Amino acid sequence: MKCGSECRNVSKDELLLQSDLNLVEPLSTLDTMQSAEWVTRPKPENINKHKPWIETSYHGVITENNDTVILDPPLVALDKDAPVPFAGEICAFKIHGQELPFEAVVLNKTSGEGQLRAKSPIDCELQKEYTFIIQAYDCGAGPRETAWKKSHKAVVHIQVKDVNEFAPTFKEPAYKAVVTEGKIYDSILQVEAVDEDCSPQYSQICNYEIVTTDVPFAIDRNGNIRNTEKLSYDKQRQYEILVTAYDCGQKPAVQDTLVQVDVKPVCKPGWQDWTKRIEYQPGSGSLPLFPSIHLETCDGPVSSIQITTELQTNYIGKGCDRETYSEKSLQKLCGASSGIIDLLPSPSTATNWTAGLLVDSSEMIFKFDGKQGAKIPDGIVPKNLTDQFTITMWMKHGPSPGMRAEKETILCNSDKTEMNRHHYALYVHNCRLVFLLRKDFDQADTFRPAEFHWKLDQICDKEWHYYVINVEFPVVTLYMDGATYEPYLVTNDWPIHPSHIAMQLTVGACWQGGEVTKPRFAQFFHGSLASLTIRPGKMESQKVISCLQACKEGLDINSLESLGQGIKYHFNPSQSILVMESDDVGNINRALQKVSYINSRQFPTAGVRRLKVSSKVQCFGEDVCISIPDMDAYVMVLQAIEPRITLRGTEHFWRPATQFDSARGVILFPDIKIVSTFTKAEAPGDLKTTAPKSTVLEEMLHNLDFCDILVLGGDLDPRHECLELSHSELHQRHLDATNSTAGYSIYGVGSMSRYEQVLHHIRYRNWHPATLEARRFRIKCSELNGRYTSNEFNLEVTVLHEVKVSDKEHVNHLIVQPPFLQSVHHPESRSSIRRSSVVPSIATVVIIISVCMLVFVVAMGVYRIRIAHQHFIQETEAAKEAEMDWDDSALTITVNPMEKHEEPGRGEHDTEDEEEEEVEEDMSSSSSDSDDSEDEEEEEEMGRGRHGQSGVRQAQLEWDDSTLPY
């Protein structure tokens, strides 16, 4: 019997049966009984005799983000008390465990069916499995949940089913590998991706794929990348490929990964990380050549290494970037003694014996092709050299042609006619340098040294070398590139017998005047020569020789202290070769990184300087050691900023004729100024603007090597005119000069200020200036033998001639003082005075106005003459000239009687002389001043500025115009 929500009518027999079963309880809910009546029921323990029964274990599966658990077997509880009400029904399933996200519900109390559900979303990534205890409870003996019986404990194991919600991600954002060219790799590197899903199906990576197309690489399912063909370093040095990954649910990675594969060449010993082209900006000082270089030895057993770095500049002029000044200028810069004679000067009117020789672009290097020679004119070199003299030269010479080479003469002094004796000579023979010196028969008749030989490889290496032969008879010493060499062979000979045959000094060949039908050149030289000089009477010091051959560019080492004791190094004299040695490769790398290039020239020759680094390696116990290839690079010296040399000063002025005839003459360039500027780009102030950079001019200081003063409009006539300059002015500033009818040439290496000071003292004299109207001159200056030249500064000097009045008495009679013109300072004619007595007052006024205008014109002329005169006084003071002698013996003075009314305190004669002198000056200057009014205004301004300075010495001048009334 079962009981629902209400009990049905129970018969007496049924009650007795339940009583026997001890299931009697009050039936307060029975419909047929009164509320206060108890119904006898069987006892609960007699009705609910059995416990519910369930399986001992369950296995369930739940999909994440779902709430139903599918159990195997299904959740069903059975009770043997059925079909007894309450006792045979299942009221609950209870789960034992803390914070479990599941609950069990009863679907049908009668059948005992139940279900497991998720109370909250299940995430497989948080927990993949759950295990807990479950028990079933029957409904007990009544509706009040009393005396419920529970089943045994059953184990429930639930597995969470995964959903593919996550995509694969790579462990690294990028991968990098280095491979050697020419090899096939099974695995270059391995990429790895992960998936956050929890199940093996969705959390495992099942496939990798290369996204980049047309690359010689492949990848397997485990992420191993291999190359499918041999890689070439020359073809491609680096590959970049993209790789993606797929999980077992075929979901691709969100972001691909980058794989970079660098291809390195097959390990070859050599220098790494250096640049072939190195740019050098002039004036930048020392520039490191290989700041990151290192040596790759391929793990060779290196025991020691020697590095030789060579800077090759032999093709630049005479080798190295030496200054291109003339030899005389270089001698002065190095402090050489005076009296040096240049035997191969640049061709000019004064040195024309080199005009027929071949020269290179610099016009300072002479090339001899075996067909040319030059005769040195008589008087250039003394006939007989003393026991002390010096010969210097730059020479580039190669192997002599032919099996038995002939003598190649550099310098030869031989008989001009009749005989063929060589008094002294310098020549090359079979790569030997030979100096011949035959003494005259003026002393004892004994054997004396006559030939001195030097055998040197440099004589025939086709490179430039500097040779100095110091003679202190009988000792002869050779300096080559600053190093000393003693002769290996000295041949003695008898002195030359005395004769009256003239001698001929030649260069490039030897003059054969006798023993032939026609005198001719012989023993021609093949090669190049430059700066061939001879210094009679004195030898050069070692210091001067080193300076003359010194190199302006070369190799240098930054921070010698940082090299440490593990490095041995050595420079050659010109610092073009550096040798370093060490037993540690790391020390050699650091030492070579400190090697730099330096060029001390202000305006270096632009172009390429080649570099060569050679290496010698020794290994531990190895017969065959590694070979390091030579390294070839070059320094590109950029073009220096070219200076603009500007000459400024007064371009036109006037001087009285008497000053041209004076002992001091006329100073031509009292205020000339030499300025050198260069253009510099200036960046705009606002960095955001794209406007072009503006240019500014900046001054720079450097040397000049000559300034030429040319006479324009015809050469000077030495009979009555010349240009003069004090020798002391040149000597004090270590400059030289040559003077000719065509002009004046100042030369020698000196600063711009030195040249200014010398030009300030150039004077022009003319003994007959009466026929001279003007003289024009032009100045042009140069730096580096004409490489940079100035503007052409033109000067015109005008001669002020004096005007003579022939009939003083006639003029005096024409000048009358009218009673109404006492204050007018200008002479009037007698006819004007006579007309004034009969004309009416209006005519008188008109005459007065006219006279005033004439006086004003005369005063202006006098004023201009005064300004020009003051300008002359100032320039005379600047040159420290003596007091000027103004020759006015032929000047005729016209007296103006009106002048005495102007200043009563002065004598009449003095006043009249000054007034007439002003009139005469105005007349003489009108012709020369009227052509160029602008120049007159400039002279006026200059006169105003110098008036205060010239006032001190005006009292010394015989021309006293201090009281001119204007």
Side-chain angles (χ1 to χ4, degrees), residues 515-566:
E515 302 178 0
V516 291
T517 57
K518 183 179 180 180
R520 58 182 175 83
F521 281 116
Q523 300 176 1
F524 291 94
F525 179 73
H526 297 79
S528 297
L529 296 174
S531 305
L532 177 60
T533 67
I534 188 167
R535 170 62 173 92
K538 193 170 183 180
M539 295 190 306
E540 288 299 351
S541 65
Q542 178 70 44
K543 181 179 179 181
V544 172
I545 294 172
S546 299
C547 175
L548 290 174
Q549 64 90 34
C551 200
K552 296 298 181 181
E553 65 177 345
L555 300 174
D556 193 15
I557 297 180
N558 292 332
S559 180
L560 290 172
E561 296 79 6
S562 63
L563 288 181
Q565 298 181 355

Side-chain angles (χ1 to χ4, degrees), residues 226 343 485:
R226 60 184 177 84
L343 302 181
Y485 297 90

Side-chain angles (χ1 to χ4, degrees), residues 413-457:
N413 188 28
S414 60
D415 291 330
K416 185 177 291 187
T417 58
E418 300 181 20
M419 302 180 71
N420 191 32
R421 298 175 302 175
H422 295 182
H423 297 262
Y424 63 86
L426 180 64
Y427 60 91
V428 174
H429 190 209
N430 291 327
C431 293
R432 292 173 174 83
L433 186 66
V434 182
F435 178 63
L436 170 68
L437 180 60
R438 299 289 303 279
K439 282 291 189 176
D440 291 338
F441 202 97
D442 55 354
Q443 295 181 358
D445 186 6
T446 59
F447 263 12
R448 299 181 183 181
E451 280 190 5
F452 305 84
H453 295 244
W454 294 271
K455 182 175 176 58
L456 302 172
D457 295 336

